[in-house]
Amino acid sequence: MNQYSLAEAMTDKGNFTVPKLPESNMGFGVLGVFLGLLLEVSTHGPHAVPRTSWRHQDLDLMEFSEPDIFNYSTLLLSERRDALYVGAREAIFELSKKNVTVKNNKVQWTVAESPMVMCTQKGKSKERDCLNYIRVLQAVDDERLYVCGTHAFQPQCDYLNLADFSLDRRPEDGRGKCSFDPSQSFTTVMVDGELYSGTAYNFLGSEPIISRYSPSQSQLRTEYSTSWLNEPSFVFADVISEGGSRADGEDDKIYYFFTEVSVEYEFFGKLLIPRVARVCKGDLGGQRTLQKKWTSFLKAKLVCSMPELNFVFNVVHDVFILKGAERRDTVIYGVFTSQWGNVGLSAVCAYNMTAVEEVFSKGKFMQKATVEQSQTKWVRYNGIPPSPRPGACINNLMRRQNISSSLHLPDKTLQFVKDHPLLEDPVLPVGNRPRLITKDVNYTQIVVERVRALDGNIYDVIFTGTDQGVLHKSVVYEGEVHIVEETQLLKNSESIKNLLLSSQTRSLYAGSDSGVVQSPTAFCGRYLSCGDCVLARDPYCAWDPRAAACVNIFDAPSQKLRKLIQSLNGDADKCPSDLSLSLKDYRRVTVKPGSSAELPCLGHSNLAQVMWKTNGSALTEASRFHLVAEHGLLIYSVAPEDQGQYECWSVEWAPAAGKNFTRLVAGYVLALDLPRRAPPPPPPAGRATAATTAQEAWSTRAAAGDGKPDRALLTSALAPPSFTAAVRFTSPPQTDSSLTPPPPPSSTIKFQPKPHLLPSSNAPRPDSRDPAAEYLQRSNSTALLFLFLLFFLLFLAALAYNCYMRYLPAPCLRLRAALLGSHKSAHQPEYRACEAGLMESASASTAAAEKMTMTERPTQNGSQTAQSVRALRDTGYETEPECGNGQIPSGTAAGDSPTQEKPFDVDCESQPIQFADADEPYC
Ligand SMILES: *[C@@H]1O[C@H](CO)[C@@H](O)[C@H](O)[C@H]1NC(C)=O
Ligand SMILES: *[C@@H]1O[C@H](CO)[C@@H](O)[C@H](O)[C@H]1NC(C)=O
Ligand SMILES: *[C@@H]1O[C@H](CO)[C@@H](O)[C@H](O)[C@H]1NC(C)=O
Ligand SMILES: *[C@@H]1O[C@H](CO)[C@@H](O)[C@H](O)[C@H]1NC(C)=O
Ligand SMILES: *[C@@H]1O[C@H](CO)[C@@H](O)[C@H](O)[C@H]1NC(C)=O
Ligand SMILES: *[C@@H]1O[C@H](CO)[C@@H](O)[C@H](O)[C@H]1NC(C)=O
């Protein structure tokens, strides 16, 4: 099957001038994308599972919110003033950075009567839209913040004096600085007192603008044209400073990140494309051409895809620029999902700043070409662009040519950049693939911190926030990503709207609709054994053998660092072996005969498998036992022979270390509470025997072992803290005779953890955490075949239906006519003629057929509005090449929907038919 697909089309750097989806393969291409997705979702791609899950109620996070105030979505940290500024709906707060529960200041900014009335008259809701959502908080200087709010769809900005935390109350027009609509995406950044923003300039939100407002210079903005910005959704902007140190006198640059509707690909409906755009700080606009417009605006495509799975992540949600000491150490991190959100995959891609600059300074331009009369396409510009290079910042070389500012740029250069803002060369991610792919989450926010671990290496720790209020923390180790933990940051499963990180307080700050949460960057103290601490592979954490505690390395005094145990590949063999466990540490559980017993085993790792041992041998298939949630063991109807010693073991596979690590997590001695009156074998004696046996079993195991006992690390698993944790549960499991008999226990004991926090994640999780199983297994190909057959049947059904409904062109119609033997279309003869012409040029048309683009299809099928995947899927089948015998896509059935955009002027008589979907009147 030819897997030509979007992924290839979008990363196509070949010789074709038009990125395209070849017609003959299109059906398969679309099918390929979908099969690719199914494959990806149904089997295990390179996604990762968080090792540890922290529930909100188990953590003592600092939270801030005030009654009747919502939408805490704008955050600004001030390291100098030790403050976190929060912009919410109609209020601005100053919180303590060390502890966000401490509110130092508050100011309210409400909407007056008349703007409110105007807003409601325009049909906006008084309770929701016509309020003042504070969306811009930027530091002007040490004394003042610049603040903007949506202000009932009439954005306003004002200065906030930090000394007395009061607004100037001399509002300025906020158009172009802040969005009108509180739910519309936008971005701002303040650079040297000038506000750069990406937002909409009008009430309807239909006029996108990237602009600069400066107290001293005139305002600069983008040209209002779809080739500059086409329905963008802005996510981030930041400055990359050259520091004035570069020998070539390069200017500072402001980078914008957004998703927009592509102009260069033709597709069903709207194909979204993630972009990076850039402007120069010193830009002053042009003298004649591009007056008060950017002369340096250029944009390029950001690629985040899995080429081997034909899968493209084409929506960017947030970006973080990790600025290194050297500019070449600067890395741009972005979180992406697919336009087809139902796939449930999120990705993190990283981009080398040097590569981004390379694209802007050397990349080929694209140009709009008019094909025949009306249709335009974007193709590569193959000519030599004018000099100086269009869109380049002013540097010393230009200054030597007497071009000291953009006002001196020649008109030729300016006209060129005005018409060619799009570069053809894409920005490719580091390693040509995502750093991280996660299933069943939608990442909304990202921050990254660079951490030097005890091994002396520097690791980028990636924090990603989801739309369910969960935070993932990941670390890249030797190219492989490891999700250290997931944390339910927000009480409710709502979206994380903003995420900031302070290295100073080692805290993360998350803003959401309902409040602000502060969380430490690591929870080292919650790892209770050395094994757990090391297997966590958290660069912030290390085990202190002296104190028998997992500590944050940034809290530890430097002279102690050498003694700490840390291994980022998770080699828990570095832990001191501690076998000093004794039976008295085992919890005694006494139950009445016939009642059930629950033995909890609260392991911390989602990567571990839980193994229960009784009297020293592993539990196998046994109908008496049943695993309950949270790794507990539930024994139904306890009988005398069930008495004995029970141990919960965790077997964790550490891929980076290439080893299994086995740890004892909890131990119990189960005994029956026999009635006093009938004293058969005295229980204490029985218990003692059991205990002795257990002790023996234990020693034997410790000595001879089973499996790989010597390598298997019996860490300090039963070191007191771990044990306490393991058995720390509130309701005693024993003597629960009131418990209604549960359903028949399953005969197979599956020791599979069911870890995740995500409240809504009822989507299927991978059944196995075994990395060996994470790749396509043979059995899946059967499933795949089945799927394929299913699809094929569906396709046939769709084909038949469409043929019957006369949506499909000539051959079908003829077939239909033959079958139904009636209703000749009035246009049939023309059709035939056209088709005959097509037949003749069949061989020539193969190449031409490749130019068949996707936009034209929906028109052909009379479903122009097709935008959704469903529509895409349908049309994909309907236009499956079979109808045209696999080669000749033929004209629209007569009387079908009139085509709005006539793609090409085709004359059947005078020239070989080039385009399949040429409209009937044209033939
Ligand atoms: C503001 O918060 C409310 C309450 O949580 C929410 O329903 C609404 O969607 C939020 N609005 C915006 C624009 O974020
Ligand atoms: C980015 O690429 C440049 C040039 O290829 C290289 O020197 C630099 O180390 C890379 N930076 C990172 C962070 O990978
Ligand atoms: C730059 O301007 C100076 C003075 O106006 C002139 O002498 C010189 O020839 C110019 N150089 C170029 C390259 O145009
Ligand atoms: C992710 O977002 C998509 C589209 O908004 C939604 O359909 C899906 O349920 C979300 N998934 C999760 C896990 O939140
Ligand atoms: C454990 O050993 C004791 C004593 O040998 C025995 O009575 C009990 O039935 C055993 N328990 C299990 C579950 O095998
Ligand atoms: C590690 O343990 C798992 C689960 O017990 C097992 O399937 C796997 O084969 C083990 N791997 C090695 C290398 O021992």
Side-chain angles (χ1 to χ4, degrees):
M1 182 162 108
N2 191 330
Q3 291 264 359
Y4 194 94
S5 73
L6 229 56
E8 286 168 55
M10 290 174 70
T11 53
D12 187 6
K13 296 219 299 170
N15 292 324
F16 304 105
T17 45
V18 185
K20 63 197 176 297
L21 302 166
E23 138 69 16
S24 55
N25 293 329
M26 205 264 326
F28 281 130
V30 171
L31 203 60
V33 169
F34 281 96
L35 285 182
L37 301 189
L38 289 169
L39 188 90
E40 165 54 30
V41 174
S42 63
T43 67
H44 316 89
H47 69 273
V49 173
R51 178 182 181 270
T52 312
S53 304
W54 306 115
R55 296 179 304 174
H56 186 82
Q57 61 266 35
D58 296 341
L59 301 170
D60 205 13
L61 301 177
M62 289 178 267
E63 299 174 73
F64 171 81
S65 68
E66 277 206 348
D68 298 323
I69 302 224
F70 301 98
N71 312 92
Y72 300 79
S73 52
T74 312
L75 303 180
L76 174 71
L77 269 175
S78 166
E79 303 282 345
R80 213 176 141 267
R81 289 191 169 252
D82 243 5
L84 176 72
Y85 299 102
V86 180
R89 192 166 82 185
E90 317 233 289
I92 305 159
F93 300 94
E94 181 186 317
L95 309 179
S96 161
K97 202 178 70 174
K98 296 199 180 74
N99 180 350
V100 297
T101 59
V102 177
K103 177 180 80 176
N104 290 329
N105 276 304
K106 173 184 177 182
V107 64
Q108 270 186 300
W109 186 3
T110 52
V111 180
E113 188 64 32
S114 75
M116 175 73 92
V117 169
M118 272 170 69
C119 179
T120 47
Q121 275 169 358
K122 286 178 188 164
K124 299 290 175 189
S125 130
K126 189 172 175 183
E127 292 75 33
R128 257 196 355 258
D129 308 323
C130 299
L131 298 170
N132 193 19
Y133 292 78
I134 308 301
R135 303 200 78 195
V136 176
L137 278 183
Q138 296 284 352
V140 182
D141 48 41
D142 287 344
E143 272 81 48
R144 290 180 308 162
L145 297 187
Y146 197 60
V147 186
C148 304
T150 59
H151 203 263
F153 272 77
Q154 295 161 56
Q156 289 194 346
C157 298
D158 204 349
Y159 288 92
L160 177 71
N161 301 300
L162 295 178
D164 58 355
F165 215 72
S166 67
L167 289 163
D168 270 1
R169 305 282 175 192
R170 279 198 305 265
E172 301 175 352
D173 184 4
R175 264 190 311 161
K177 303 175 188 170
C178 175
S179 68
F180 287 63
D181 186 339
S183 57
Q184 203 172 39
S185 71
F186 90 113
T187 181
T188 55
V189 60
M190 185 76 101
V191 182
D192 297 338
E194 301 182 322
L195 188 76
Y196 292 79
S197 53
T199 182
Y201 198 62
N202 60 354
F203 178 85
L204 291 175
S206 55
E207 185 186 342
I209 177 174
I210 282 181
S211 57
R212 179 180 70 199
Y213 295 87
S214 155
S216 53
Q217 298 174 20
S218 66
Q219 174 199 336
L220 271 195
R221 53 163 295 172
T222 40
E223 182 88 1
Y224 182 29
S225 142
T226 52
S227 45
W228 283 49
L229 292 169
N230 191 17
E231 298 179 45
S233 172
F234 294 101
V235 299
F236 187 72
D238 202 359
V239 63
I240 296 292
S241 188
E242 305 290 349
S245 59
R246 275 176 62 158
D248 54 6
E250 269 283 340
D251 198 2
D252 295 351
K253 293 164 194 94
I254 291 86
Y255 286 90
Y256 283 85
F257 298 85
F258 53 96
T259 307
E260 68 172 351
V261 175
S262 93
V263 288
E264 71 267 42
Y265 299 107
E266 294 169 67
F267 195 66
F268 303 100
K270 293 175 176 174
L271 179 66
L272 302 180
I273 295 274
R275 299 259 194 235
V276 51
R278 173 206 95 167
V279 293
C280 305
K281 201 180 116 198
D283 200 340
L284 296 174
Q287 187 68 263
R288 284 176 298 272
T289 314
L290 290 179
Q291 250 183 49
K292 301 199 176 164
K293 305 270 168 70
W294 297 108
T295 64
S296 55
F297 177 84
L298 289 178
K299 63 179 182 181
K301 170 176 69 187
L302 279 176
V303 172
C304 187
S305 69
M306 288 190 288
E308 75 279 13
L309 288 167
N310 286 328
F311 192 76
V312 180
F313 295 94
N314 65 336
V315 180
V316 60
H317 291 276
D318 191 27
V319 164
F320 183 84
I321 302 187
L322 184 66
K323 295 176 183 170
E326 300 271 331
R327 211 162 30 85
R328 68 182 140 80
D329 297 330
T330 298
V331 179
I332 298 171
Y333 281 91
V335 285
F336 294 80
T337 60
S338 150
Q339 180 173 359
W340 302 284
N342 53 357
V343 173
L345 291 175
S346 282
V348 173
C349 276
Y351 303 89
N352 186 330
M353 195 67 224
T354 317
V356 175
E357 290 189 337
E358 196 89 336
V359 167
F360 282 108
S361 61
K362 305 211 174 89
K364 288 256 185 235
F365 293 92
M366 286 196 93
Q367 109 163 332
K368 198 150 76 170
T370 306
V371 183
E372 299 299 331
Q373 281 174 349
S374 49
Q375 183 83 351
T376 57
K377 281 176 181 295
W378 283 82
V379 298
R380 178 201 284 176
Y381 177 79
N382 278 320
I384 297 164
S387 170
R389 182 181 161 91
C393 300
I394 307 296
N395 56 20
N396 288 344
L397 190 70
M398 290 193 213
R399 288 189 190 102
R400 278 199 291 276
Q401 296 168 351
N402 283 353
I403 301 169
S404 55
S405 90
S406 63
L407 291 167
H408 305 147
L409 284 168
D411 277 337
K412 245 200 289 177
T413 293
L414 294 180
Q415 191 60 46
F416 189 92
V417 74
K418 182 178 173 192
D419 297 336
H420 305 81
L422 177 60
L423 295 166
E424 192 203 21
D425 295 53
V427 175
L428 298 173
V430 175
N432 251 326
R433 60 183 53 255
R435 273 279 157 92
L436 165 66
I437 295 172
T438 315
K439 267 202 223 179
D440 304 326
V441 300
N442 292 323
Y443 287 147
T444 55
Q445 290 287 311
I446 183 167
V447 291
V448 183
E449 185 171 37
R450 221 159 243 178
V451 175
R452 184 184 291 276
L454 291 184
D455 61 8
N457 294 330
I458 289 183
Y459 297 90
D460 287 0
V461 183
I462 304 167
F463 297 90
T464 39
T466 74
D467 63 349
Q468 304 284 316
V470 175
L471 184 82
H472 283 190
K473 169 173 162 187
S474 321
V475 59
V476 179
Y477 179 84
E478 288 178 354
E480 294 284 315
V481 73
H482 166 67
I483 305 186
V484 176
E485 62 200 7
E486 60 177 347
T487 309
Q488 181 77 43
L489 271 194
L490 308 181
K491 226 182 300 169
N492 311 318
S493 57
E494 53 176 329
S495 187
I496 294 180
K497 291 281 175 74
N498 206 333
L499 192 61
L500 291 184
L501 185 143
S502 164
S503 301
Q504 208 183 56
T505 56
R506 290 203 303 280
S507 288
L508 289 154
Y509 305 88
S512 72
D513 279 341
S514 58
V516 178
V517 179
Q518 178 180 3
S519 161
T521 48
F523 297 101
C524 304
R526 296 197 159 250
Y527 299 116
L528 298 166
S529 66
C530 179
D532 213 16
C533 182
V534 171
L535 280 163
R537 301 173 61 197
D538 187 327
Y540 296 89
C541 303
W543 183 255
D544 182 350
R546 196 77 62 79
C550 193
V551 297
N552 193 313
I553 60 170
F554 297 100
D555 286 335
S558 54
Q559 69 273 16
K560 255 179 86 178
L561 287 180
R562 272 187 313 118
K563 302 208 177 69
L564 299 183
I565 301 167
Q566 187 186 55
S567 165
L568 282 193
N569 66 1
D571 185 356
D573 279 352
K574 296 209 169 133
C575 285
S577 52
D578 178 12
L579 296 175
S580 63
L581 34 85
S582 69
L583 264 179
K584 65 179 170 14
D585 290 329
Y586 282 44
R587 188 183 172 110
R588 259 147 242 284
V589 176
T590 314
V591 293
K592 291 203 175 74
S595 67
S596 52
E598 188 191 352
L599 308 177
C601 177
L602 298 172
H604 277 309
S605 175
N606 300 325
L607 303 179
Q609 294 193 307
V610 172
M611 179 172 59
W612 280 91
K613 288 184 179 177
T614 171
N615 281 359
S617 53
L619 278 185
T620 49
E621 321 235 322
S623 56
R624 316 194 70 86
F625 304 105
H626 187 69
L627 197 73
V628 294
E630 300 272 358
H631 311 189
L633 183 72
L634 185 65
I635 307 165
Y636 298 109
S637 178
V638 178
E641 63 268 29
D642 293 331
Q643 297 183 95
Q645 186 199 41
Y646 288 84
E647 289 164 345
C648 172
W649 291 76
S650 143
V651 183
E652 185 158 358
W653 170 247
K659 286 183 227 169
N660 269 336
F661 294 99
T662 310
R663 309 180 282 132
L664 184 52
V665 180
Y668 301 90
V669 176
L670 182 71
L672 278 183
D673 182 13
L674 294 172
R676 300 269 157 206
R677 258 176 287 146
R687 217 174 282 171
T689 325
T692 323
T693 327
Q695 181 65 72
E696 280 163 12
W698 169 254
S699 341
T700 328
R701 226 181 19 263
D706 48 333
K708 318 166 52 182
D710 33 340
R711 307 256 9 125
L713 180 77
L714 309 176
T715 58
S716 48
L718 270 208
S722 169
F723 185 68
T724 335
V727 297
R728 190 183 55 200
F729 52 94
T730 40
S731 61
Q734 69 271 39
T735 65
D736 189 6
S737 43
S738 64
L739 201 82
T740 44
S746 92
S747 59
T748 319
I749 301 184
K750 276 200 172 174
F751 301 111
Q752 295 295 350
K754 260 277 174 206
H756 288 257
L757 290 172
L758 312 173
S760 70
S761 74
N762 42 13
R765 293 255 162 210
D767 283 329
S768 168
R769 312 262 174 241
D770 184 356
E774 303 236 320
Y775 292 96
L776 180 59
Q777 289 159 359
R778 192 138 306 202
S779 62
N780 282 322
S781 44
T782 332
L784 203 65
L785 191 68
F786 174 75
L787 263 175
F788 185 83
L789 279 176
L790 194 73
F791 268 68
F792 187 66
L793 283 178
L794 276 172
F795 156 67
L796 279 184
L799 187 72
Y801 175 77
N802 283 291
C803 194
Y804 178 74
M805 295 301 283
R806 289 195 258 171
Y807 289 158
L808 287 183
C812 285
L813 289 182
R814 268 190 286 142
L815 184 69
R816 184 178 180 277
L819 287 177
L820 300 177
S822 61
H823 315 307
K824 249 193 183 174
S825 160
H827 300 261
Q828 205 79 344
E830 289 149 41
Y831 229 104
R832 294 242 171 89
C834 185
E835 204 187 17
L838 277 167
M839 287 293 180
E840 275 157 32
S841 59
S843 55
S845 70
T846 322
E850 294 199 345
K851 294 204 174 162
M852 166 72 186
T853 55
M854 296 174 103
T855 356
E856 291 138 12
R857 303 196 146 261
T859 5
Q860 175 182 342
N861 291 331
S863 57
Q864 283 142 292
T865 49
Q867 280 177 12
S868 67
V869 174
R870 204 163 292 116
L872 187 149
R873 213 179 273 166
D874 291 341
T875 44
Y877 300 135
E878 288 162 17
T879 56
E880 195 70 4
E882 264 83 336
C883 188
N885 231 355
Q887 321 171 15
I888 310 144
S890 51
T892 317
D896 245 26
S897 75
T899 312
Q900 248 98 63
E901 353 165 42
K902 290 170 182 155
F904 302 103
D905 249 344
V906 180
D907 178 0
C908 285
E909 252 91 88
S910 62
Q911 65 181 80
I913 299 301
Q914 288 202 347
F915 299 107
D917 49 346
D919 268 337
E920 179 259 309
Y922 287 78
C923 289

